[in-house]
């Protein structure tokens, strides 16, 4: 990504002049209202646990919007590995998601491809547990993964990850999709969880 | 009590009593009962009052087809209790009566209302005087109808919509449907069976031996892995195998590779006087009561039949001790005159060829009509089988199959036209809408002689049964009256839902997508009143005095969240050339680090959007668009490049980046508090675009001035918006920063005479008549989009002009207010506000071009009277732009 586009990158923010930038997700307030415990991870305020999450064994809804996200054009060769998710949106576009700690190493593998840091563009919501599929079916008709389409009446994408699903949507709609996911989960005995409660550990 | 001693194969489990209330009285049934069977067993015979005449109605089909048993259950109106499983504590009430279900005062309409309520009566008898219609309407709505809804009620039950995919969807869980499902499942396909009844089994559930067969098939289906849903309603058959199913409070949207329709038949009533009396029922109703629920439905019965179904009912009734007084098989005895006569609305005797036979039950069986509606919805044709006297489906669509009786295989041909000769009134064809043979003949005589017209005029088939019990008979009446054959008459169009379902289920769970900026909660925390702007929520203002909120920007420091602005990256070697093609003005010569205002025009030269374009690198432009136009502009760009194939890429970054405008005399100082970069007048000139760092966050800053003061528009990643916003407020606290919302912004931009696209422009606005001719650059190599049309406007001469105006009297016209010249409408006001800073009412208006001179005068209608306005060309505030350029 050229220097001219550095203003797109959440990762480029740094301590300077006494300022300590911390990024927050579009779902931050909803989780704070639930009494979530936050930790600063990779420059983000991340909800690591939410009161009552231990009861949400049927299905858990977690905010993993802090994942680094790069859009590559053309898609080209997949960038894969532990902690990295490759999602070819089309032959000409791909989305790479990874933990913030892996951001630099992923960027190094982009090569000559045009890339955009779209970390701040998307909210990502994880749906995990035995009833995860039912929750997803109550949000969208998408049933082949990964795929994009209408989710809760807005456009988004669904990937299969971590034994469950990741729902990716525009960040300005993140709060709304979260609300829908939590609502659907509540009817099935599930609810919000922190990232540390995700199977396989935090994203 | 009419409950029989325990019988082999009965559905009910007598070891599990279930209590419920009916009009406050506690009654008891058993597990396995329906609400209808439990009520019937307790002695209840009147289940409802008919739609128009308030005639008492009793159980007639026990299959969920007719509307006779509709009651209010647990507050939910119009529930068909004959198929609704009984549940503990259910609160059941009748509906559509005044007084009581047994003694409805509105029954006088049956006695007296006939002459006043012919078909279409609301066009005839209650039409004059017209001014009394509101009164008539109120009365009629109260007098007729089904179960009432609480107008103040809110959503009480949760509904969910779930998408499912299956190989085979079988609609109808009778014998044919279950066998088809089992075969498919054993072949490895995923299968679901959907049945409207209280359980799968279909017609088997009416037959004593059939009940056992149904149980066996059910077990085999479950073992094969078939999913059984009952009671569940297949709402319709849609394209690509979509079958929505209403299953309790779930709307299941099945998408199936194959659909098998096994919806069976609908028993048809015979048409004769008194055929709607309580105690007149179809064969399956009597048989289900006897065989399924172990109920003796009467003491003495008469059976009228055109096929073996009536005879089967007679046998089952006789087996439980009902005296069969007479069996009239119309295949053998022709069509004697028939009339059922009652007492208090309940059948007491029946006249057959003039001879009276006492009976408290009449079983009537017409030719069973294949239940073809779902197939017709899917596109199948329907034809009249003259031999059987029924309509059968033909020419099924590719992915739809039909099995069982729905295909037309209904047994031996019956009497083709069981419309019995009669004299007298109240031969009901449509039980739901209280339409008789007399009503249909009346409509034909009035000229409504096509079945589609007749339907709309008489409302036959438009009731809860949706034609199941009346459509075929209504066509037979038409055929008999007009002499036209049934095939030529045809059927009406079948539309979903095939069975009434609740609006709440179709609406699904309440969810309203709304976009929020990443500063949403800051606005609320600071007292912002939120409003809709397209799909976005934005702050209207932060207090009651919007004038003061605007003035504060002029005198101190204001911050506004403009994150909703469209932000589109245009990058690549042809980026500049591309923008030159889509914009009227030129961008390829824009220097790196500079901005320029642009207006997009469509093919017809009409203004479609506007915004500031910044060149952030040699081959990269950052294009802003209006909040509601962002997606449209992105599509516009990509669509045109699909034509031109230029070497350029686009990225819609609208949500990825937040944007904040910091404006006012203290803006420069405020920025210096949060950034080490040079914000001086020389270091950051007006219309510059600079890469800076604000509070540790890399930011694209644009020095532009929509609100007429020194200002910087900051663009940075959305997740860091709260940090940047908080940092500015904290570090510049002594500079008196205040947030300002959309309404003060509108005042501020109006003071500068700035246009808002779609507020001050419409689909006919062009650059010349919107006072922006300076944007037109016709010396570009390429014919930019809209060039020809824009030139046409210049060539034909300007007719209109968008101008600023002041209101000398202080009168405030409404936006959209009419400009009046020589007593005629000659334009409109597009924007108007009172400016607290200027102490006057200002606005923008579209007026005849010849009046568009500084100081020119025109009138605007205000409260019905012309109010004088004065043309003001140019900005009202700081005309020389000294403040924005400071």
């Amino acid at each position: 990504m050229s220097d001219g586009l550095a203003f797109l990158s959440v990762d480029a923010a740094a301590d300077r002049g006494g300022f300590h930038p911390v990024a927050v997700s579009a779902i931050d307030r909803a989780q704070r209202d639930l009494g979530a415990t936050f930790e600063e991870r990779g420059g983000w305020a991340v909800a690591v646990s939410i009161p009552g999450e231990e009861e949400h064994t049927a299905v858990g809804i977690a905010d993993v919007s802090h994942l680094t996200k790069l859009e590559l054009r053309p898609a080209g060769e997949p960038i894969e590995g532990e902690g990295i998710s490759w999602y070819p949106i089309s032959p000409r576009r791909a989305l790479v998601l990874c933990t913030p700690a892996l951001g630099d190493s992923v960027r190094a593998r982009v090569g000559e491809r045009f890339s955009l840091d779209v970390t701040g563009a998307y909210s990502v919501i994880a749906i995990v547990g035995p009833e995860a599929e039912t929750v997803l079916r109550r949000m969208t008709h998408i049933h082949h993964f990964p795929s994009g389409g209408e989710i809760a009446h807005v456009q988004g994408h669904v990937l299969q990850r971590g034994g469950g699903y990741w729902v990716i949507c525009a960040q300005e709609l993140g709060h709304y999709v979260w609300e829908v996911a939590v609502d659907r989960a509540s009817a099935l005995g599930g609810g919000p969880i922190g990232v540390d409660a995700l199977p396989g550990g935090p994203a | 009590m009419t409950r029989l001693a325990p019988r082999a194969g009965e559905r009910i489990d007598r070891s599990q009593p279930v209590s419920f209330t009916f009009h406050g009285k506690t009654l008891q049934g058993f597990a396995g009962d329906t609400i209808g069977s439990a009520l019937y067993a307790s002695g209840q015979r009147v289940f409802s009052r008919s739609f128009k005449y308030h005639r008492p109605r009793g159980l007639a089909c026990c299959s969920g087809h007719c509307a006779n048993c509709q009651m209010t259950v647990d507050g939910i109106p119009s529930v068909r209790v004959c198929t609704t499983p009984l549940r503990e504590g259910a609160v059941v009430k009748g509906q559509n009566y005044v007084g009581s279900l047994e003694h409805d005062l509105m029954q006088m309409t049956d006695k007296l209302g006939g002459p006043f309520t012919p078909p279409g009566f609301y066009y005839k008898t209650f039409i004059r005087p017209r001014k009394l219609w509101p009164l008539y309407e109120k009365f009629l709505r109260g007098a007729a109808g089904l179960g009432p809804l609480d107008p103040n009620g809110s959503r009480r039950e949760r509904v969910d919509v779930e998408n499912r995919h299956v190989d085979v969807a079988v609609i109808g869980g009778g014998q044919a449907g279950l066998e088809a499902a089992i075969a498919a499942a054993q072949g490895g396909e995923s299968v679901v069976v959907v049945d409207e009844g209280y359980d799968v089994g279909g017609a088997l559930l009416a037959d004593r031996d059939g009940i056992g067969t149904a149980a066996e098939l059910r077990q085999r289906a479950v073992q094969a892995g078939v999913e059984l849903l009952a009671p569940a309603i297949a709402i319709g058959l849609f394209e690509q195998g979509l079958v929505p199913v209403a299953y309790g409070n779930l709307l299941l949207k099945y998408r199936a590779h194959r659909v098998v329709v096994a919806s069976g038949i609908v028993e048809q009533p015979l048409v004769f006087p008194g055929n709607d009396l309580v105690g007149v029922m179809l064969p399956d109703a009597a048989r289900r009561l006897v065989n399924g629920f172990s109920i003796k439905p009467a003491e003495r019965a008469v059976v009228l039949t055109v096929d073996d179904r009536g005879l089967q009912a007679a046998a089952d009734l006789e087996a439980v001790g009902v005296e069969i007084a007479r069996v009239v098989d119309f295949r053998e005895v022709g069509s004697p005159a028939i009339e059922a006569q009652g007492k208090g609305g309940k059948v007491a005797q029946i006249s057959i060829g003039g001879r009276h036979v006492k009976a408290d039950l009449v079983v009537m069986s017409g030719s069973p009509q294949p239940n073809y509606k779902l197939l017709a919805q899917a596109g199948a044709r329907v034809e009249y089988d003259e031999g059987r006297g029924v309509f059968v489906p033909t020419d099924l669509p590719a992915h739809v199959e039909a099995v069982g009786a729905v295909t037309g295989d209904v047994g031996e041909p019956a009497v083709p036209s069981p419309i019995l000769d009669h004299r007298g009134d109240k031969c009901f064809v449509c039980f739901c809408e209280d339409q008789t043979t007399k009503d249909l003949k009346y409509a034909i005589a009035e000229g409504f002689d096509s079945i589609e017209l007749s339907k709309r005029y008489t409302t036959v088939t438009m009731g809860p049964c949706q034609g199941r019990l009346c459509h075929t008979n209504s066509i037979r009446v038409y055929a008999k009256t007009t002499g036209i054959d049934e095939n030529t008459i045809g059927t009406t169009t079948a539309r979903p839902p095939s069975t009434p379902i609740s609006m709440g289920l179709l609406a699904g769970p309440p969810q309203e997508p709304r976009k929020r900026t990443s500063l949403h909660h800051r606005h609320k925390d600071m007292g912002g009143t939120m409003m809709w702007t397209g799909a976005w929520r934005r702050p209207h203002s932060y207090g009651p005095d919007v004038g003061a909120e605007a003035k504060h920007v002029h005198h101190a420091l204001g911050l506004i969240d403009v994150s909703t602005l469209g932000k589109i990256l245009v990058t690549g070697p042809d980026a500049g050339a591309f923008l030159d093609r889509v914009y009227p003005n030129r961008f390829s010569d824009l220097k790196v680090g500079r901005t320029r205002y642009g207006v997009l025009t469509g093919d017809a030269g009409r203004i479609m959007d506007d915004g500031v374009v910044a060149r952030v690198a040699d081959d990269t432009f950052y294009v802003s668009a209006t909040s509601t136009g962002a997606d449209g502009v992105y599509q516009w760009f990509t669509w045109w490049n699909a034509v031109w194939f230029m070497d350029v890429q686009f990225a819609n970054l609208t949500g990825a980046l937040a944007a904040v405008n910091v404006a006012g005399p203290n803006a420069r100082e405020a920025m210096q508090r949060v950034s080490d970069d040079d914000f001086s007048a020389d270091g950051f000139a007006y219309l510059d675009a600079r890469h800076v760092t604000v509070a540790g966050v890399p930011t694209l800053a644009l020095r532009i001035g929509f609100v007429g003061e020194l200002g910087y528009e900051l663009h940075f990643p959305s997740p860091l918006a709260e940090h940047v916003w908080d940092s500015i407020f904290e570090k510049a606290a002594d500079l008196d920063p205040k947030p300002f919302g959309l309404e003060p912004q509108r005042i501020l931009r109006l003071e500068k005479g700035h246009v808002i696209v779609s507020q001050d422009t419409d689909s006919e606005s062009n650059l010349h008549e919107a006072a922006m001719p300076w944007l037109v650059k016709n010396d570009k190599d390429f014919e930019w989009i809209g060039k020809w049309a824009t030139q046409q406007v210049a060539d034909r001469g300007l007719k209109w002009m968008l101008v600023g105006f002041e209101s000398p009297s202080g009168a405030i016209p409404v936006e959209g207010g009419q400009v009046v010249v020589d007593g005629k409408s000659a334009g409109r006001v597009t924007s108007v506000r009172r400016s607290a800073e200027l102490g006057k009412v200002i606005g923008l208006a579209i007026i005849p071009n010849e009046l568009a001179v500084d100081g020119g005068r025109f009138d605007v209608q205000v409260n019905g009277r012309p109010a004088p306005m004065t043309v003001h060309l140019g900005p009202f505030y700081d005309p020389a732009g000294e403040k924005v350029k400071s």
Side-chain angles (χ1 to χ4, degrees), chain A residues 29 73 137-138 179 184, chain B residues 162 511 514 649-650:
Chain A
R29 182 63 69 98
R73 305 178 186 186
R137 284 196 266 112
R138 292 186 180 187
E179 266 177 29
R184 302 299 183 265
Chain B
E162 188 173 317
Q511 53 190 45
R514 63 244 179 248
Q649 298 201 54
F650 312 100

Side-chain angles (χ1 to χ4, degrees), chain A residues 2-10 12-26 28-30 33 43-44 71 73-74 92-93 114 116-121 134 136-143 152-154 171-173 175-176 179-180 183-187, chain B residues 158-165 250 255 507 509-518 521-522 525 536 569 571 616-617 620 622 634 649-657 673-677 691 693-700 715-720 722-723 727-728 731:
Chain A
S2 69
D3 287 340
L5 299 179
F7 68 103
L8 299 181
S9 176
V10 177
D15 288 1
R16 186 166 167 172
F19 294 102
H20 178 61
V22 178
V24 302
S25 131
D28 178 271
R29 182 63 69 98
D33 289 345
W44 285 77
E71 179 175 322
R73 305 178 186 186
R92 291 199 50 77
R93 290 171 65 201
F114 175 74
L116 284 172
D117 190 326
V118 291
T119 300
T134 305
L136 195 69
R137 284 196 266 112
R138 292 186 180 187
M139 295 175 68
T140 178
H141 63 279
I142 297 173
H143 63 288
H153 300 319
V154 299
Q171 68 84 23
E172 60 266 32
L173 290 163
H175 70 282
Y176 157 76
E179 266 177 29
V180 173
D183 173 75
R184 302 299 183 265
S186 69
Chain B
R158 184 189 171 89
V159 295
D160 277 292
V161 179
E162 188 173 317
N163 295 279
R164 292 188 177 181
H165 294 83
L250 270 179
R255 285 169 174 83
Q511 53 190 45
E512 184 174 42
R514 63 244 179 248
K515 296 182 180 180
R516 287 181 182 169
T517 76
S518 45
H521 293 289
R522 286 293 182 271
D525 293 343
W536 291 94
L569 204 67
T571 186
V616 298
T620 301
Y622 182 71
Y634 176 75
Q649 298 201 54
F650 312 100
N652 189 342
L653 303 172
T654 299
L657 296 168
R673 304 275 182 93
V674 292
S675 176
D676 295 333
D677 293 290
H691 295 285
T693 300
V694 176
V697 177
T699 298
L700 178 67
H715 295 246
F716 45 84
S718 291
L720 291 160
E722 286 186 351
H723 165 74
S727 298
I728 297 173
K731 296 298 183 185

Side-chain angles (χ1 to χ4, degrees), chain B residues 360-385:
Chain B
D360 58 346
L361 171 66
V362 174
V363 176
M364 57 175 177
S365 179
S367 301
Q369 170 58 54
N371 194 5
Y372 65 78
K373 278 192 173 294
L374 284 173
L375 293 169
Q377 284 176 22
R381 288 197 314 118
V382 178
E383 285 182 357
Y384 188 69
D385 180 336

